[in-house]
Amino acid sequence: MKRVYEARDGLEAHMVAGLIEQAGIMAQVNGDMLQGGVGDLPAAGLASVWVADSDEDRARQVIVDFEASQPVASAPTLRERIREPGRGEPDSGRAFRQGLLVGVLLGAALMAWLLA
């Protein structure tokens, strides 16, 4: 068996394996169940697609054709990279300062109540 594709996650691995199987090549996904052992953090590179040694070249051609058909992800614009406060997502710095202020005030009130 030869590994012909290393996927970002189990879903992608099964999708690619399905494309290879549509071309008449038996494919096997390995490592897709390992992601659950990592927990909530994404674990890239654990799932992979394997085929028989004799089918490696044909499977790689299916993968090349698949990758060529995918749209190229565009780079984010300057406006998307620099989020303006008050538009779209809230300014994370401002939200942090507000949360910190609320925490300090609640802490001071609790201390005053405990010491009284």
Side-chain angles (χ1 to χ4, degrees), residues 89-111:
E89 292 186 22
D91 178 21
S92 61
R94 188 175 80 193
F96 173 77
R97 289 189 299 273
Q98 289 174 345
L100 182 63
L101 178 62
V102 168
V104 168
L105 291 175
L106 287 175
L110 181 61
M111 289 299 293

Side-chain angles (χ1 to χ4, degrees), residues 30-100:
N30 288 333
D32 58 329
M33 297 298 178
L34 294 173
Q35 291 176 302
V38 176
D40 292 333
L41 298 175
L46 295 178
S48 57
V49 180
W50 295 70
V51 298
D53 294 349
S54 59
D55 293 326
E56 179 183 8
D57 293 334
R58 288 182 23 215
R60 288 192 188 277
Q61 187 57 49
V62 170
I63 293 167
V64 166
D65 293 344
F66 163 70
E67 289 177 339
S69 70
Q70 298 303 303
V72 177
S74 62
T77 64
L78 181 61
R79 183 174 297 271
E80 291 170 341
R81 286 185 280 148
I82 301 172
R83 293 194 174 92
E84 299 174 25
R87 293 187 180 188
E89 292 186 22
D91 178 21
S92 61
R94 188 175 80 193
F96 173 77
R97 289 189 299 273
Q98 289 174 345
L100 182 63

